[in-house]
Amino acid sequence: MELLPTCRDEMLARGWKGVDVVLVTGDAYIDHPSFGVALIARWLEHHGYRVAVLPQPAHSSPEQFRQFGRPRLFFGITAGNMDSIVANYTGNGRVRRRDAYSPGGDPYFPGRSGRLGRRRPDRATIRYAQLAREAFKDVVLVVGGLEASLRRFVHYDYQQERLRRSILADAKADILVYGMGELAVLEIARRLDRGEELWGIPGTCARALGHGALPPQYELLPSWEEISADPSRFMEAEQKIDRSVRSYSPTPLVQDQGPGLVVQFPPMRPLNQEELDLLYLLPYARRPHPSAGEPPAFRMIRDSVTILRGCPGNCSFCAIARHQGPVVVSRSRESVMEEVERMAGSPGFKGTITDLGGPTANLYGVRCRNFLKCRRHDCLYPEPCRNLSLEGFRFLDLLEAVSSVKRVKNLFVSSGMRMELLLRTPDLLERIVTLHTPGALKVAPEHTEPEILRLMHKPGPEIFEEFIKMVKGIERRRGRRIVVNPYIISSHPGCTLGDMKRLVEKLDRMRISVKQFQDFTPTPGTLSTAMYVSGLDRDTGRSIFVPRKRGERKAQRRAVESLMKRK
């Protein structure tokens, strides 16, 4: 399958004199459905538009932005699959020496170093928008992707250790697409094609100069000035945004950025199953562009298959619900099988599917019996909702079907899974741990202390304990050892050094080894970050301890490292 053009020569080789859309990304160009730019590009191409991709352009001048000529419709700009600050800096603000989405993992252009030498600039969405505007003053700028989506209102930037205005205001773009953007981007293209205005498209944010331009009804968020003066108002704003997204509220949200206003129109509906099936079966080349070499991220996902979108878990530290939405949409069995058979029939396939998953793999087939009436979509806390139909047999059936495909020797589930749901589907759990686990079984209890789990919006510690007992039972029946590697978060808002020491003691008693843990990182778009900034409990509004100082965070890391050294 032919790759999309990434430079003028490749555009001309197709016989094109120009393009409708140029998609600019901070990632290397990998034409695979695990990458957002590839999804949007192929989706637009399927609907008749000529699309070029400009991957990791030099950001010292606008020259590379001019090579396709002025796009007929718009520049679509994204920082890539990750927020650029998360890609460039650790949770403690240190510069990363590796970028999984760049050629060979090298974050720098060949022979260059320093900020201008980085392939992905800090706050890449803003910088790319500036360069596109320099290249063509009157061009329409559409910003989207994870970075734009989660920074669409006043947000916290942990690298600068301060609050910032909406990225839409800073980038001076015409429109921002939030969430999974296929439907919104297609509507933008169609409206521009017809010469219509872009105001009011679901799943987008736009700027307004004054209250007179606003919709007749809207909900007002605390403003930039109010939040800057009183960080507790940041928690108020984040909770309102969270409720709006999870409820699919028809009421626009408005935030005064001083100057100007940002208007968030209601969320775009999720793709239905037929649309999701179509999207993932578009003609992807499933390989990097030759200029990209082989980025580490491609090696990780080359032989993986996405089977669902969305997550109703609503963990405090996670932005999946804010970006992908709280409603699970699963692909059909037939669609997944067709993709697997294509992969298995390709010359480079080595017999192993590395992941059959998504945000939470064992949510495949899950559906809400009360979808049209529910406004919470908070389906797993404090326990699974009675209206949540698990239907674990559908995932079991899919695993069996994929395993039977000729040339598939190994099938693994590497995506995260919810333990409380696996406890309710024991047959699925047994199959996964005995047949589809690559090495160790990775689970994410995140913590063991009830109060910290409550702040994380996670079920209590008994879930992890019961899960380990069930796994031990499978061990005895099968006569084989099953290694469990729990993922732990240290220094979460509310977590003290005492809490971490108690966690270590409990895991030590359970003879559980820890190989993966991470300091909490206050990334944009989560309620945990709102707790970090405001110092307030998400549920009660009371003050909580927040480990912000390097020494406090280091002490919590050392507590976990002491357990790792004993194993």
Side-chain angles (χ1 to χ4, degrees):
M1 180 53 59
E2 189 177 12
L3 293 161
L4 295 167
T6 63
C7 64
R8 182 172 180 80
D9 287 345
E10 291 174 6
M11 177 186 74
L12 296 175
R14 283 191 168 216
W16 298 354
K17 294 182 179 179
V19 296
D20 300 316
V21 176
V22 176
L23 298 180
V24 185
T25 175
D27 294 338
Y29 172 36
I30 303 172
D31 195 39
H32 187 287
S34 291
F35 296 87
V37 160
L39 288 171
I40 296 295
R42 292 298 185 183
W43 178 255
L44 287 171
E45 179 189 53
H46 174 76
H47 287 90
Y49 295 100
R50 290 182 174 180
V51 183
V53 176
L54 181 55
Q56 298 188 319
H59 43 91
S60 55
S61 82
E63 194 57 36
Q64 286 185 282
F65 288 74
R66 297 189 177 110
Q67 62 186 303
F68 303 103
R70 183 187 183 281
R72 186 174 69 88
L73 298 178
F74 63 86
F75 271 108
I77 292 171
T78 174
N81 265 30
M82 293 178 68
D83 181 282
S84 60
I85 295 302
V86 176
N88 290 350
Y89 299 90
T90 69
N92 292 306
R94 292 189 175 90
V95 176
R96 294 191 192 273
R97 297 181 179 179
R98 185 173 181 272
D99 185 340
Y101 296 91
S102 291
D106 186 353
Y108 296 97
F109 291 117
R112 300 182 65 185
S113 61
R115 291 196 175 187
L116 286 179
R118 291 194 74 93
R119 293 180 185 272
R120 186 197 319 269
D122 293 352
R123 295 161 206 91
T125 303
I126 297 172
R127 183 57 184 149
Y128 291 156
Q130 291 169 343
L131 292 169
R133 187 68 79 195
E134 284 183 46
F136 302 100
K137 293 190 182 300
D138 61 340
V139 75
V140 174
L141 297 184
V142 180
V143 296
L146 189 70
E147 179 168 280
S149 184
L150 300 183
R151 293 174 178 253
R152 60 189 185 264
F153 290 114
V154 172
H155 58 278
Y156 183 74
D157 186 300
Y158 72 85
Q159 189 263 338
Q160 292 184 328
E161 297 183 334
R162 69 179 180 91
L163 291 164
R164 290 182 62 102
R165 292 178 170 85
S166 165
I167 200 169
L168 178 62
D170 283 347
K172 296 180 174 55
D174 295 282
I175 191 167
L176 179 151
V177 174
Y178 68 91
M180 305 301 279
E182 292 87 7
L183 295 176
V185 169
L186 182 59
E187 178 63 17
I188 289 169
R190 286 173 169 169
R191 288 199 186 187
L192 290 173
D193 231 352
R194 298 191 296 258
E196 298 173 359
E197 65 174 25
L198 301 180
W199 185 260
I201 298 174
T204 70
C205 298
R207 292 180 293 160
L209 294 178
H211 288 268
L214 295 178
Q217 295 192 354
Y218 57 87
E219 182 175 7
L220 198 62
L221 299 175
S223 69
W224 161 256
E225 288 189 0
E226 290 170 334
I227 292 171
S228 298
D230 179 5
S232 69
R233 304 298 302 277
F234 185 61
M235 173 64 79
E236 179 187 340
E238 287 294 294
Q239 286 178 321
K240 285 184 176 182
I241 298 165
D242 181 66
R243 285 193 296 269
S244 173
V245 171
R246 285 193 290 109
S247 67
Y248 288 90
S249 170
T251 305
L253 297 180
V254 175
Q255 188 175 58
D256 191 334
Q257 297 289 308
L261 308 168
V262 168
V263 183
Q264 174 188 284
F265 297 104
M268 178 62 80
R269 66 169 177 83
L271 294 178
N272 59 39
Q273 186 178 80
E274 292 74 20
E275 291 165 332
L276 197 61
D277 285 352
L278 167 64
L279 178 65
Y280 279 91
L281 290 178
L282 291 174
Y284 302 96
R286 299 187 75 92
R287 67 179 186 274
H289 188 274
S291 64
E294 191 173 276
F298 175 65
R299 292 198 297 271
M300 289 186 285
I301 57 80
R302 172 173 49 199
D303 295 321
S304 67
V305 180
T306 300
I307 59 175
L308 73 147
R309 269 190 183 179
C311 181
N314 200 32
C315 300
S316 299
F317 51 80
C318 181
I320 290 174
R322 183 80 60 97
H323 184 64
Q324 288 201 10
V327 174
V328 175
V329 182
S330 301
R331 291 172 63 186
S332 69
R333 180 183 182 274
E334 294 73 21
S335 172
V336 174
M337 291 299 294
E338 184 175 342
E339 182 174 352
V340 168
E341 286 166 359
R342 288 182 187 177
M343 285 173 53
S346 64
F349 184 66
K350 297 180 180 178
T352 297
I353 294 178
T354 54
D355 189 22
L356 201 66
T360 305
N362 63 320
L363 283 172
Y364 180 78
V366 166
R367 57 188 177 84
C368 176
R369 299 188 186 96
N370 195 34
F371 170 73
L372 295 177
K373 294 182 180 179
C374 182
R375 291 292 175 264
R376 290 181 67 247
H377 296 298
D378 189 3
C379 309
L380 302 178
Y381 182 85
E383 59 184 21
C385 175
R386 66 176 184 272
N387 289 314
L388 197 67
S389 174
L390 297 184
E391 299 186 9
F393 68 89
R394 289 188 60 193
F395 196 18
L396 262 174
D397 174 66
L398 186 65
L399 290 169
E400 291 174 2
V402 172
S403 298
S404 69
V405 172
K406 189 177 180 181
R407 294 191 70 198
V408 173
K409 299 174 184 177
N410 301 297
L411 168 61
F412 295 133
V413 178
S414 302
S415 292
M417 289 177 282
R418 294 293 297 224
M419 291 182 292
E420 64 270 55
L421 300 185
L422 287 172
L423 290 173
R424 296 183 179 214
T425 53
D427 291 345
L428 176 61
L429 171 60
E430 185 151 354
R431 181 176 179 110
I432 287 173
V433 298
T434 54
L435 296 176
H436 305 298
T437 298
L441 179 64
K442 297 175 184 177
V443 293
E446 269 88 31
H447 219 284
T448 61
E449 299 310 288
E451 182 64 7
I452 309 308
L453 289 168
R454 179 187 68 78
L455 290 169
M456 291 178 168
H457 209 64
K458 296 270 291 187
E462 66 279 358
I463 295 294
F464 183 52
E465 294 166 7
E466 188 180 346
F467 181 80
I468 293 298
K469 288 179 182 176
M470 187 174 282
V471 169
K472 295 294 183 186
I474 296 171
E475 269 189 339
R476 288 191 294 271
R477 284 196 305 277
R478 294 279 183 163
R480 55 169 289 188
R481 184 169 180 245
I482 300 168
V483 178
V484 177
N485 282 345
Y487 176 76
I488 300 298
I489 296 177
S490 59
S491 300
H492 187 275
C495 182
T496 65
L497 180 58
D499 291 317
M500 290 308 296
K501 288 180 176 179
R502 285 186 286 274
L503 175 147
V504 168
E505 290 168 1
K506 288 179 180 179
L507 293 182
D508 201 20
R509 285 198 301 269
M510 296 169 71
R511 297 187 176 181
I512 298 293
S513 174
V514 174
K515 293 188 176 179
Q516 283 187 300
F517 79 96
Q518 181 180 342
D519 279 350
F520 166 73
T521 303
T523 54
T526 74
L527 289 180
S528 289
T529 297
M531 287 189 278
Y532 180 92
V533 172
S534 67
L536 300 178
D537 185 314
R538 57 164 286 167
D539 298 323
T540 67
R542 296 174 183 165
S543 294
I544 57 173
F545 169 72
V546 178
R548 297 189 184 95
K549 296 178 181 177
R550 290 184 185 272
E552 294 167 339
R553 293 163 71 86
K554 188 174 183 179
Q556 295 201 21
R557 284 200 303 277
R558 282 180 171 172
V560 185
E561 288 167 352
S562 69
L563 176 64
M564 297 172 74
K565 290 176 182 177
R566 292 202 294 269
K567 298 297 179 183

